[in-house]
Amino acid sequence: MLIYRIYVGNSLRNYNYVIACDKTKDAAIIDPLDVNACIDIANKNNLNITKILNTHEHWDHIEGNDEVVKLTGAKIYAHYNCKDKIDNIYKTLKEGDIINIGESIQITCLDTPGHTFGHICFLANYKNKMALFSGDTLFNAGAGNCYSGDMELLYKSFTDKLAHLCDDVLIYPGHDYLENNLNFTLSIEPNNTEAKKLLEKIKQEKPNNRVITSLFIEKQINSFFRLNSEEIKRNLVEKFKTKFENLSKEQVFFKLRELRNKW
């Protein structure tokens, strides 16, 4: 599996992805925004763009759809709840649907609502190596907002779906928010040594060569996976000036997301 990560460089810090079968050179673009960059990569590597995979319906993840279709004839795949929000969908997707790219890449669709009600994460499997294209559900060291969705559904997407994937799954999010998210982690869990080490490391990086984390790493640095942390719980109680004890995992998640909204 060939994965090309494109940092758009806009104010939203989007990532686009081109993934390709190394045997057939058939390829898909995930959430096209910088169409020129995506097509340029395809041309330079003799790739045949056959599919567009949209994680969800927000404009910065679908803006390039029409132009890519015009240039390549690619078919658009998106969540079934996006059928009235994304134009010209070729196939609507649900939990467990399989998408094949060429001969070697099999993608499993994970229904991960919360950021929106029509969000799909794409789990690509190639020779026992797995990559998760997580859109705006899971960011490096963070979680998506719920302004267009539902916080309880996002919590369930994390705890019922993402947390149960293999630890060696590589994470490819829709935006580069890693530095800011690590600072958020340390604001609520200041003794997180792994977050401190990674924050120091990425100061030498630029977004287009950003470290690629695994789910194992995310469970160490991402507060939205660390819902049992006693340090996080103590700081939440202090920040919200509450007296509640024995915080549930769901309450911890909600309070973390509430804090992150203002970060």
Side-chain angles (χ1 to χ4, degrees), residues 104-131:
S104 61
I105 302 174
Q106 185 179 82
I107 294 174
T108 302
C109 296
L110 305 181
D111 191 355
T112 51
H115 177 63
T116 73
F117 294 98
H119 198 292
I120 287 277
C121 287
F122 297 107
L123 183 63
N125 191 337
Y126 171 73
K127 292 183 177 178
N128 297 319
K129 294 181 180 180
M130 289 188 288

Side-chain angles (χ1 to χ4, degrees), residues 178-191:
L178 179 54
E179 183 173 0
N180 203 28
N181 284 340
L182 286 172
N183 282 316
F184 174 75
T185 293
L186 292 170
S187 75
I188 197 69
E189 193 179 16
N191 292 310

Side-chain angles (χ1 to χ4, degrees), residues 48-60:
N48 177 32
I49 303 296
T50 62
K51 296 178 174 68
I52 297 168
L53 309 182
N54 291 144
T55 58
H56 63 293
E57 71 271 25
H58 285 161
W59 72 268
D60 56 315

Side-chain angles (χ1 to χ4, degrees), residues 29 32-43 47-52 63-75:
I29 300 177
L33 180 58
D34 189 339
V35 174
N36 288 337
C38 293
I39 297 300
D40 187 53
I41 282 177
N43 290 338
L47 305 179
N48 177 32
I49 303 296
T50 62
K51 296 178 174 68
I52 297 168
E63 184 78 3
N65 279 7
D66 289 346
E67 189 174 356
V68 173
V69 171
K70 181 179 178 180
L71 292 171
T72 70
K75 305 296 186 182

Side-chain angles (χ1 to χ4, degrees), residues 67 74 91 104 113 116 139 145 151 154 161 167 188 222 244:
E67 189 174 356
K91 181 176 174 55
S104 61
T116 73
F139 298 126
N145 65 53
M151 199 179 300
L154 185 66
K161 296 275 180 72
D167 280 351
I188 197 69
N222 191 326
F244 51 75

